[in-house]
Amino acid sequence: MKRFLAAITYLIATASAGCGLNVAALTEADPFLCYTVVMKDPALDLVSVTGSVYGSLDGKVPFTAANPGGGRLLEPLGLAARDLSGRPLEITADGVSWIVRNEGRDFTFSYDVVLSIGDRYTPEIRGMLSMIGADRSRLMGRDIFLLPGTLFSEGILVDIDTGHEGGLHSTWECTGGRIIVPEVADLASTLAVSGAYRELEAEVSGTRLSLAIAGEWLFTDEDLFRVVREVVSLEISMFGSSPHGKHLFVCEPNPVRGPGVFDYYGVHFAGSMLLLLDPAMDGSLLFDTPMAVVAHEFFHNWNGEALQPSDESFMWFTEGATVYYSYRVLVDSGVIAGDQYERQAENIRRRYLDNPYLADIAIGEAANRDLSDRGMVNLLYDGGFLAAEALDREISEATSGRVSLIDVLRSLYERHPGGATIDEEVLRLAVIELTGRDIGPLVSELVHSKAPEMLSASRLSS
Ligand SMILES: [Zn+2]
């Protein structure tokens, strides 16, 4: 492994075009992989992808498209593979994967991929996040890379040339047009942007924070960056450290406009975040609840990613506690005032009480139901928020304010720095350990009974 890392360092230092040129430096290393992504036809949103596989002694290497989570799967056009002497290799497809029969030889494979979607109002907008524009491009790994099913060395080299003026910014470290993706498992969540993005950088709590922003706004880049920096700094301090060494925020105008659709939203993956905001958004809104989207998605670095829910039955907590802390963080960082929080919480409570499923479905069951149903989503998020708030209050009262829910999350994160799966029992035991209080009965009442009495009381009288 050390030898391989030394070779990687060499590759970065030479920054040559195409990783195949430096193969000599890598002989005897573990099997490794690299990709080159080149713009083929911007008018058709078409890019060419070439992958190179070295040192794989298996007779075959399977490739699959990443699961975009409800969106469309990558379709590799004109997929072909050749060994290093240019001889074509057989590729078989079994409906799930493409298998390159390399017979132990090094090889390259190539295909084209179209990065446009027809209807941005479909759920695909969540699945497919790439964009080819006149002056800039946004590339999302899962839209682009066929992923090998074979084990490879850490450090996958990805060279990107989109032909735009301006540097490349990515989730991972990059030099010139080259990104080093830590592992095969990280390829799908790799975000890279190039072209007309303005970059702001800062060191925050031992991590590198980078904002790549494009488009015209009613606020300055620095204003947005200041808010992002405060949220990031505060959330890292809540957990003591970040699971990632670098955080990239990409901010762009949301292409989806019109009534009934999102004016702003964020998507989080592997420490990076894509923020699609309404270009008409006033600067004053930076100090209002729209910034909860930043706080929310960033909080998922811990609650959701490092601490993963065991399954749908614990989503009420993963989303509910994240909604709750996204607002608490805005209060603590001074982005919103305490009374704005109270108003927002009261709005959530009213919407929860008006939910059409209130009497029939418990909060803890919502994520097992049809989440394309707006009412069901609201039941999960609004109910989860109220339940998390009530849990925090219970924990705080049981310890005279000495312990709060965030201390429980932090202790779980500190105990499992490499990541862990959590569920209600793990949470219950962690709370008992820190407070002596068993929250089991409270959780049963809040999230497993229908229309719990204690969430129906007005906040104002409590
Ligand atoms: Zn969320």
mmCIF file with all atom_site columns, all heavy atoms in Angstrom, residues 13-37:
data_model
loop_
_atom_site.group_PDB
_atom_site.id
_atom_site.type_symbol
_atom_site.label_atom_id
_atom_site.label_alt_id
_atom_site.label_comp_id
_atom_site.label_asym_id
_atom_site.label_entity_id
_atom_site.label_seq_id
_atom_site.pdbx_PDB_ins_code
_atom_site.Cartn_x
_atom_site.Cartn_y
_atom_site.Cartn_z
_atom_site.occupancy
_atom_site.B_iso_or_equiv
_atom_site.pdbx_formal_charge
_atom_site.auth_seq_id
_atom_site.auth_comp_id
_atom_site.auth_asym_id
_atom_site.auth_atom_id
_atom_site.pdbx_PDB_model_num
ATOM 1   N N   . ALA A 1 13 ? 2.509   14.703 -8.721  1.00 0.00 ? 13 ALA A N   1
ATOM 2   C CA  . ALA A 1 13 ? 3.618   15.622 -8.948  1.00 0.00 ? 13 ALA A CA  1
ATOM 3   C C   . ALA A 1 13 ? 3.857   15.843 -10.437 1.00 0.00 ? 13 ALA A C   1
ATOM 4   O O   . ALA A 1 13 ? 4.087   16.960 -10.881 1.00 0.00 ? 13 ALA A O   1
ATOM 5   C CB  . ALA A 1 13 ? 4.879   15.072 -8.283  1.00 0.00 ? 13 ALA A CB  1
ATOM 6   N N   . THR A 1 14 ? 3.748   14.764 -11.211 1.00 0.00 ? 14 THR A N   1
ATOM 7   C CA  . THR A 1 14 ? 4.014   14.922 -12.636 1.00 0.00 ? 14 THR A CA  1
ATOM 8   C C   . THR A 1 14 ? 2.803   15.484 -13.362 1.00 0.00 ? 14 THR A C   1
ATOM 9   O O   . THR A 1 14 ? 2.944   16.126 -14.395 1.00 0.00 ? 14 THR A O   1
ATOM 10  C CB  . THR A 1 14 ? 4.391   13.576 -13.284 1.00 0.00 ? 14 THR A CB  1
ATOM 11  O OG1 . THR A 1 14 ? 3.327   12.652 -13.044 1.00 0.00 ? 14 THR A OG1 1
ATOM 12  C CG2 . THR A 1 14 ? 5.667   13.019 -12.708 1.00 0.00 ? 14 THR A CG2 1
ATOM 13  N N   . ALA A 1 15 ? 1.607   15.266 -12.776 1.00 0.00 ? 15 ALA A N   1
ATOM 14  C CA  . ALA A 1 15 ? 0.358   15.793 -13.344 1.00 0.00 ? 15 ALA A CA  1
ATOM 15  C C   . ALA A 1 15 ? 0.277   15.614 -14.846 1.00 0.00 ? 15 ALA A C   1
ATOM 16  O O   . ALA A 1 15 ? -0.085  16.504 -15.595 1.00 0.00 ? 15 ALA A O   1
ATOM 17  C CB  . ALA A 1 15 ? 0.172   17.266 -12.967 1.00 0.00 ? 15 ALA A CB  1
ATOM 18  N N   . SER A 1 16 ? 0.658   14.449 -15.298 1.00 0.00 ? 16 SER A N   1
ATOM 19  C CA  . SER A 1 16 ? 0.631   14.202 -16.738 1.00 0.00 ? 16 SER A CA  1
ATOM 20  C C   . SER A 1 16 ? -0.792  13.933 -17.199 1.00 0.00 ? 16 SER A C   1
ATOM 21  O O   . SER A 1 16 ? -1.662  13.638 -16.415 1.00 0.00 ? 16 SER A O   1
ATOM 22  C CB  . SER A 1 16 ? 1.500   12.990 -17.056 1.00 0.00 ? 16 SER A CB  1
ATOM 23  O OG  . SER A 1 16 ? 0.924   11.850 -16.459 1.00 0.00 ? 16 SER A OG  1
ATOM 24  N N   . ALA A 1 17 ? -1.008  14.051 -18.491 1.00 0.00 ? 17 ALA A N   1
ATOM 25  C CA  . ALA A 1 17 ? -2.339  13.780 -19.023 1.00 0.00 ? 17 ALA A CA  1
ATOM 26  C C   . ALA A 1 17 ? -2.502  12.282 -19.227 1.00 0.00 ? 17 ALA A C   1
ATOM 27  O O   . ALA A 1 17 ? -1.672  11.650 -19.867 1.00 0.00 ? 17 ALA A O   1
ATOM 28  C CB  . ALA A 1 17 ? -2.514  14.502 -20.345 1.00 0.00 ? 17 ALA A CB  1
ATOM 29  N N   . GLY A 1 18 ? -3.562  11.707 -18.658 1.00 0.00 ? 18 GLY A N   1
ATOM 30  C CA  . GLY A 1 18 ? -3.803  10.280 -18.855 1.00 0.00 ? 18 GLY A CA  1
ATOM 31  C C   . GLY A 1 18 ? -2.922  9.449  -17.958 1.00 0.00 ? 18 GLY A C   1
ATOM 32  O O   . GLY A 1 18 ? -1.704  9.501  -18.051 1.00 0.00 ? 18 GLY A O   1
ATOM 33  N N   . CYS A 1 19 ? -3.535  8.686  -17.053 1.00 0.00 ? 19 CYS A N   1
ATOM 34  C CA  . CYS A 1 19 ? -2.723  8.007  -16.050 1.00 0.00 ? 19 CYS A CA  1
ATOM 35  C C   . CYS A 1 19 ? -1.925  6.864  -16.650 1.00 0.00 ? 19 CYS A C   1
ATOM 36  O O   . CYS A 1 19 ? -0.964  6.407  -16.072 1.00 0.00 ? 19 CYS A O   1
ATOM 37  C CB  . CYS A 1 19 ? -3.583  7.521  -14.890 1.00 0.00 ? 19 CYS A CB  1
ATOM 38  S SG  . CYS A 1 19 ? -4.687  6.183  -15.332 1.00 0.00 ? 19 CYS A SG  1
ATOM 39  N N   . GLY A 1 20 ? -2.294  6.376  -17.826 1.00 0.00 ? 20 GLY A N   1
ATOM 40  C CA  . GLY A 1 20 ? -1.608  5.245  -18.426 1.00 0.00 ? 20 GLY A CA  1
ATOM 41  C C   . GLY A 1 20 ? -0.126  5.537  -18.690 1.00 0.00 ? 20 GLY A C   1
ATOM 42  O O   . GLY A 1 20 ? 0.685   4.624  -18.746 1.00 0.00 ? 20 GLY A O   1
ATOM 43  N N   . LEU A 1 21 ? 0.236   6.791  -18.840 1.00 0.00 ? 21 LEU A N   1
ATOM 44  C CA  . LEU A 1 21 ? 1.617   7.146  -19.167 1.00 0.00 ? 21 LEU A CA  1
ATOM 45  C C   . LEU A 1 21 ? 2.580   6.796  -18.054 1.00 0.00 ? 21 LEU A C   1
ATOM 46  O O   . LEU A 1 21 ? 3.764   6.637  -18.287 1.00 0.00 ? 21 LEU A O   1
ATOM 47  C CB  . LEU A 1 21 ? 1.702   8.656  -19.467 1.00 0.00 ? 21 LEU A CB  1
ATOM 48  C CG  . LEU A 1 21 ? 0.936   9.107  -20.701 1.00 0.00 ? 21 LEU A CG  1
ATOM 49  C CD1 . LEU A 1 21 ? 1.030   10.617 -20.856 1.00 0.00 ? 21 LEU A CD1 1
ATOM 50  C CD2 . LEU A 1 21 ? 1.463   8.410  -21.955 1.00 0.00 ? 21 LEU A CD2 1
ATOM 51  N N   . ASN A 1 22 ? 2.067   6.673  -16.834 1.00 0.00 ? 22 ASN A N   1
ATOM 52  C CA  . ASN A 1 22 ? 2.964   6.451  -15.705 1.00 0.00 ? 22 ASN A CA  1
ATOM 53  C C   . ASN A 1 22 ? 2.914   5.037  -15.151 1.00 0.00 ? 22 ASN A C   1
ATOM 54  O O   . ASN A 1 22 ? 3.316   4.793  -14.030 1.00 0.00 ? 22 ASN A O   1
ATOM 55  C CB  . ASN A 1 22 ? 2.631   7.441  -14.591 1.00 0.00 ? 22 ASN A CB  1
ATOM 56  C CG  . ASN A 1 22 ? 3.005   8.842  -14.995 1.00 0.00 ? 22 ASN A CG  1
ATOM 57  O OD1 . ASN A 1 22 ? 4.173   9.117  -15.232 1.00 0.00 ? 22 ASN A OD1 1
ATOM 58  N ND2 . ASN A 1 22 ? 2.019   9.701  -15.121 1.00 0.00 ? 22 ASN A ND2 1
ATOM 59  N N   . VAL A 1 23 ? 2.407   4.137  -15.957 1.00 0.00 ? 23 VAL A N   1
ATOM 60  C CA  . VAL A 1 23 ? 2.225   2.773  -15.491 1.00 0.00 ? 23 VAL A CA  1
ATOM 61  C C   . VAL A 1 23 ? 3.525   2.159  -14.993 1.00 0.00 ? 23 VAL A C   1
ATOM 62  O O   . VAL A 1 23 ? 3.540   1.414  -14.016 1.00 0.00 ? 23 VAL A O   1
ATOM 63  C CB  . VAL A 1 23 ? 1.614   1.915  -16.615 1.00 0.00 ? 23 VAL A CB  1
ATOM 64  C CG1 . VAL A 1 23 ? 1.712   0.453  -16.276 1.00 0.00 ? 23 VAL A CG1 1
ATOM 65  C CG2 . VAL A 1 23 ? 0.163   2.299  -16.783 1.00 0.00 ? 23 VAL A CG2 1
ATOM 66  N N   . ALA A 1 24 ? 4.631   2.499  -15.634 1.00 0.00 ? 24 ALA A N   1
ATOM 67  C CA  . ALA A 1 24 ? 5.910   1.910  -15.250 1.00 0.00 ? 24 ALA A CA  1
ATOM 68  C C   . ALA A 1 24 ? 6.201   2.135  -13.772 1.00 0.00 ? 24 ALA A C   1
ATOM 69  O O   . ALA A 1 24 ? 6.780   1.284  -13.109 1.00 0.00 ? 24 ALA A O   1
ATOM 70  C CB  . ALA A 1 24 ? 7.023   2.504  -16.100 1.00 0.00 ? 24 ALA A CB  1
ATOM 71  N N   . ALA A 1 25 ? 5.775   3.285  -13.260 1.00 0.00 ? 25 ALA A N   1
ATOM 72  C CA  . ALA A 1 25 ? 6.049   3.602  -11.865 1.00 0.00 ? 25 ALA A CA  1
ATOM 73  C C   . ALA A 1 25 ? 5.215   2.743  -10.910 1.00 0.00 ? 25 ALA A C   1
ATOM 74  O O   . ALA A 1 25 ? 5.432   2.728  -9.718  1.00 0.00 ? 25 ALA A O   1
ATOM 75  C CB  . ALA A 1 25 ? 5.749   5.078  -11.609 1.00 0.00 ? 25 ALA A CB  1
ATOM 76  N N   . LEU A 1 26 ? 4.239   2.037  -11.456 1.00 0.00 ? 26 LEU A N   1
ATOM 77  C CA  . LEU A 1 26 ? 3.286   1.360  -10.585 1.00 0.00 ? 26 LEU A CA  1
ATOM 78  C C   . LEU A 1 26 ? 3.363   -0.158 -10.657 1.00 0.00 ? 26 LEU A C   1
ATOM 79  O O   . LEU A 1 26 ? 2.537   -0.836 -10.088 1.00 0.00 ? 26 LEU A O   1
ATOM 80  C CB  . LEU A 1 26 ? 1.870   1.804  -10.951 1.00 0.00 ? 26 LEU A CB  1
ATOM 81  C CG  . LEU A 1 26 ? 1.550   3.240  -10.549 1.00 0.00 ? 26 LEU A CG  1
ATOM 82  C CD1 . LEU A 1 26 ? 0.426   3.779  -11.391 1.00 0.00 ? 26 LEU A CD1 1
ATOM 83  C CD2 . LEU A 1 26 ? 1.211   3.329  -9.083  1.00 0.00 ? 26 LEU A CD2 1
ATOM 84  N N   . THR A 1 27 ? 4.311   -0.693 -11.356 1.00 0.00 ? 27 THR A N   1
ATOM 85  C CA  . THR A 1 27 ? 4.384   -2.157 -11.444 1.00 0.00 ? 27 THR A CA  1
ATOM 86  C C   . THR A 1 27 ? 4.572   -2.723 -10.047 1.00 0.00 ? 27 THR A C   1
ATOM 87  O O   . THR A 1 27 ? 5.159   -2.094 -9.177  1.00 0.00 ? 27 THR A O   1
ATOM 88  C CB  . THR A 1 27 ? 5.546   -2.611 -12.343 1.00 0.00 ? 27 THR A CB  1
ATOM 89  O OG1 . THR A 1 27 ? 6.696   -1.867 -11.972 1.00 0.00 ? 27 THR A OG1 1
ATOM 90  C CG2 . THR A 1 27 ? 5.238   -2.395 -13.810 1.00 0.00 ? 27 THR A CG2 1
ATOM 91  N N   . GLU A 1 28 ? 4.068   -3.886 -9.819  1.00 0.00 ? 28 GLU A N   1
ATOM 92  C CA  . GLU A 1 28 ? 4.087   -4.594 -8.533  1.00 0.00 ? 28 GLU A CA  1
ATOM 93  C C   . GLU A 1 28 ? 3.140   -3.987 -7.503  1.00 0.00 ? 28 GLU A C   1
ATOM 94  O O   . GLU A 1 28 ? 3.030   -4.474 -6.399  1.00 0.00 ? 28 GLU A O   1
ATOM 95  C CB  . GLU A 1 28 ? 5.500   -4.641 -7.928  1.00 0.00 ? 28 GLU A CB  1
ATOM 96  C CG  . GLU A 1 28 ? 6.472   -5.463 -8.771  1.00 0.00 ? 28 GLU A CG  1
ATOM 97  C CD  . GLU A 1 28 ? 7.880   -5.406 -8.218  1.00 0.00 ? 28 GLU A CD  1
ATOM 98  O OE1 . GLU A 1 28 ? 8.044   -4.944 -7.079  1.00 0.00 ? 28 GLU A OE1 1
ATOM 99  O OE2 . GLU A 1 28 ? 8.789   -5.821 -8.930  1.00 0.00 ? 28 GLU A OE2 1
ATOM 100 N N   . ALA A 1 29 ? 2.468   -2.902 -7.850  1.00 0.00 ? 29 ALA A N   1
ATOM 101 C CA  . ALA A 1 29 ? 1.524   -2.304 -6.895  1.00 0.00 ? 29 ALA A CA  1
ATOM 102 C C   . ALA A 1 29 ? 0.234   -3.124 -6.893  1.00 0.00 ? 29 ALA A C   1
ATOM 103 O O   . ALA A 1 29 ? 0.027   -3.985 -7.733  1.00 0.00 ? 29 ALA A O   1
ATOM 104 C CB  . ALA A 1 29 ? 1.229   -0.867 -7.288  1.00 0.00 ? 29 ALA A CB  1
ATOM 105 N N   . ASP A 1 30 ? -0.644  -2.849 -5.918  1.00 0.00 ? 30 ASP A N   1
ATOM 106 C CA  . ASP A 1 30 ? -1.957  -3.490 -5.881  1.00 0.00 ? 30 ASP A CA  1
ATOM 107 C C   . ASP A 1 30 ? -2.738  -3.115 -7.130  1.00 0.00 ? 30 ASP A C   1
ATOM 108 O O   . ASP A 1 30 ? -2.439  -2.097 -7.755  1.00 0.00 ? 30 ASP A O   1
ATOM 109 C CB  . ASP A 1 30 ? -2.731  -3.017 -4.649  1.00 0.00 ? 30 ASP A CB  1
ATOM 110 C CG  . ASP A 1 30 ? -2.031  -3.414 -3.364  1.00 0.00 ? 30 ASP A CG  1
ATOM 111 O OD1 . ASP A 1 30 ? -1.350  -4.461 -3.370  1.00 0.00 ? 30 ASP A OD1 1
ATOM 112 O OD2 . ASP A 1 30 ? -2.148  -2.678 -2.377  1.00 0.00 ? 30 ASP A OD2 1
ATOM 113 N N   . PRO A 1 31 ? -3.760  -3.906 -7.484  1.00 0.00 ? 31 PRO A N   1
ATOM 114 C CA  . PRO A 1 31 ? -4.578  -3.526 -8.635  1.00 0.00 ? 31 PRO A CA  1
ATOM 115 C C   . PRO A 1 31 ? -5.105  -2.110 -8.456  1.00 0.00 ? 31 PRO A C   1
ATOM 116 O O   . PRO A 1 31 ? -5.509  -1.747 -7.352  1.00 0.00 ? 31 PRO A O   1
ATOM 117 C CB  . PRO A 1 31 ? -5.722  -4.538 -8.605  1.00 0.00 ? 31 PRO A CB  1
ATOM 118 C CG  . PRO A 1 31 ? -5.208  -5.688 -7.828  1.00 0.00 ? 31 PRO A CG  1
ATOM 119 C CD  . PRO A 1 31 ? -4.208  -5.140 -6.864  1.00 0.00 ? 31 PRO A CD  1
ATOM 120 N N   . PHE A 1 32 ? -5.060  -1.319 -9.490  1.00 0.00 ? 32 PHE A N   1
ATOM 121 C CA  . PHE A 1 32 ? -5.599  0.024  -9.343  1.00 0.00 ? 32 PHE A CA  1
ATOM 122 C C   . PHE A 1 32 ? -6.353  0.456  -10.581 1.00 0.00 ? 32 PHE A C   1
ATOM 123 O O   . PHE A 1 32 ? -6.326  -0.207 -11.626 1.00 0.00 ? 32 PHE A O   1
ATOM 124 C CB  . PHE A 1 32 ? -4.514  1.027  -8.949  1.00 0.00 ? 32 PHE A CB  1
ATOM 125 C CG  . PHE A 1 32 ? -3.605  1.411  -10.075 1.00 0.00 ? 32 PHE A CG  1
ATOM 126 C CD1 . PHE A 1 32 ? -3.820  2.598  -10.777 1.00 0.00 ? 32 PHE A CD1 1
ATOM 127 C CD2 . PHE A 1 32 ? -2.541  0.603  -10.427 1.00 0.00 ? 32 PHE A CD2 1
ATOM 128 C CE1 . PHE A 1 32 ? -2.976  2.960  -11.814 1.00 0.00 ? 32 PHE A CE1 1
ATOM 129 C CE2 . PHE A 1 32 ? -1.702  0.963  -11.469 1.00 0.00 ? 32 PHE A CE2 1
ATOM 130 C CZ  . PHE A 1 32 ? -1.917  2.146  -12.155 1.00 0.00 ? 32 PHE A CZ  1
ATOM 131 N N   . LEU A 1 33 ? -7.015  1.569  -10.427 1.00 0.00 ? 33 LEU A N   1
ATOM 132 C CA  . LEU A 1 33 ? -8.009  1.994  -11.391 1.00 0.00 ? 33 LEU A CA  1
ATOM 133 C C   . LEU A 1 33 ? -7.893  3.494  -11.601 1.00 0.00 ? 33 LEU A C   1
ATOM 134 O O   . LEU A 1 33 ? -7.615  4.234  -10.659 1.00 0.00 ? 33 LEU A O   1
ATOM 135 C CB  . LEU A 1 33 ? -9.379  1.659  -10.763 1.00 0.00 ? 33 LEU A CB  1
ATOM 136 C CG  . LEU A 1 33 ? -10.667 2.127  -11.374 1.00 0.00 ? 33 LEU A CG  1
ATOM 137 C CD1 . LEU A 1 33 ? -10.933 1.346  -12.663 1.00 0.00 ? 33 LEU A CD1 1
ATOM 138 C CD2 . LEU A 1 33 ? -11.809 1.876  -10.394 1.00 0.00 ? 33 LEU A CD2 1
ATOM 139 N N   . CYS A 1 34 ? -8.082  3.959  -12.828 1.00 0.00 ? 34 CYS A N   1
ATOM 140 C CA  . CYS A 1 34 ? -8.207  5.395  -13.036 1.00 0.00 ? 34 CYS A CA  1
ATOM 141 C C   . CYS A 1 34 ? -9.170  5.694  -14.171 1.00 0.00 ? 34 CYS A C   1
ATOM 142 O O   . CYS A 1 34 ? -9.489  4.816  -14.981 1.00 0.00 ? 34 CYS A O   1
ATOM 143 C CB  . CYS A 1 34 ? -6.855  6.058  -13.266 1.00 0.00 ? 34 CYS A CB  1
ATOM 144 S SG  . CYS A 1 34 ? -5.811  5.239  -14.439 1.00 0.00 ? 34 CYS A SG  1
ATOM 145 N N   . TYR A 1 35 ? -9.680  6.896  -14.170 1.00 0.00 ? 35 TYR A N   1
ATOM 146 C CA  . TYR A 1 35 ? -10.672 7.310  -15.159 1.00 0.00 ? 35 TYR A CA  1
ATOM 147 C C   . TYR A 1 35 ? -10.250 8.632  -15.795 1.00 0.00 ? 35 TYR A C   1
ATOM 148 O O   . TYR A 1 35 ? -9.617  9.467  -15.144 1.00 0.00 ? 35 TYR A O   1
ATOM 149 C CB  . TYR A 1 35 ? -12.039 7.569  -14.510 1.00 0.00 ? 35 TYR A CB  1
ATOM 150 C CG  . TYR A 1 35 ? -12.764 6.364  -13.980 1.00 0.00 ? 35 TYR A CG  1
ATOM 151 C CD1 . TYR A 1 35 ? -12.551 5.933  -12.673 1.00 0.00 ? 35 TYR A CD1 1
ATOM 152 C CD2 . TYR A 1 35 ? -13.685 5.669  -14.758 1.00 0.00 ? 35 TYR A CD2 1
ATOM 153 C CE1 . TYR A 1 35 ? -13.234 4.840  -12.164 1.00 0.00 ? 35 TYR A CE1 1
ATOM 154 C CE2 . TYR A 1 35 ? -14.366 4.579  -14.266 1.00 0.00 ? 35 TYR A CE2 1
ATOM 155 C CZ  . TYR A 1 35 ? -14.139 4.160  -12.960 1.00 0.00 ? 35 TYR A CZ  1
ATOM 156 O OH  . TYR A 1 35 ? -14.814 3.082  -12.459 1.00 0.00 ? 35 TYR A OH  1
ATOM 157 N N   . THR A 1 36 ? -10.648 8.798  -17.038 1.00 0.00 ? 36 THR A N   1
ATOM 158 C CA  . THR A 1 36 ? -10.524 10.101 -17.692 1.00 0.00 ? 36 THR A CA  1
ATOM 159 C C   . THR A 1 36 ? -11.904 10.481 -18.214 1.00 0.00 ? 36 THR A C   1
ATOM 160 O O   . THR A 1 36 ? -12.572 9.659  -18.842 1.00 0.00 ? 36 THR A O   1
ATOM 161 C CB  . THR A 1 36 ? -9.538  10.023 -18.880 1.00 0.00 ? 36 THR A CB  1
ATOM 162 O OG1 . THR A 1 36 ? -8.301  9.495  -18.402 1.00 0.00 ? 36 THR A OG1 1
ATOM 163 C CG2 . THR A 1 36 ? -9.294  11.391 -19.475 1.00 0.00 ? 36 THR A CG2 1
ATOM 164 N N   . VAL A 1 37 ? -12.329 11.692 -17.889 1.00 0.00 ? 37 VAL A N   1
ATOM 165 C CA  . VAL A 1 37 ? -13.635 12.171 -18.348 1.00 0.00 ? 37 VAL A CA  1
ATOM 166 C C   . VAL A 1 37 ? -13.393 13.395 -19.229 1.00 0.00 ? 37 VAL A C   1
ATOM 167 O O   . VAL A 1 37 ? -12.750 14.355 -18.791 1.00 0.00 ? 37 VAL A O   1
ATOM 168 C CB  . VAL A 1 37 ? -14.543 12.560 -17.158 1.00 0.00 ? 37 VAL A CB  1
ATOM 169 C CG1 . VAL A 1 37 ? -15.902 13.048 -17.648 1.00 0.00 ? 37 VAL A CG1 1
ATOM 170 C CG2 . VAL A 1 37 ? -14.700 11.382 -16.196 1.00 0.00 ? 37 VAL A CG2 1
#
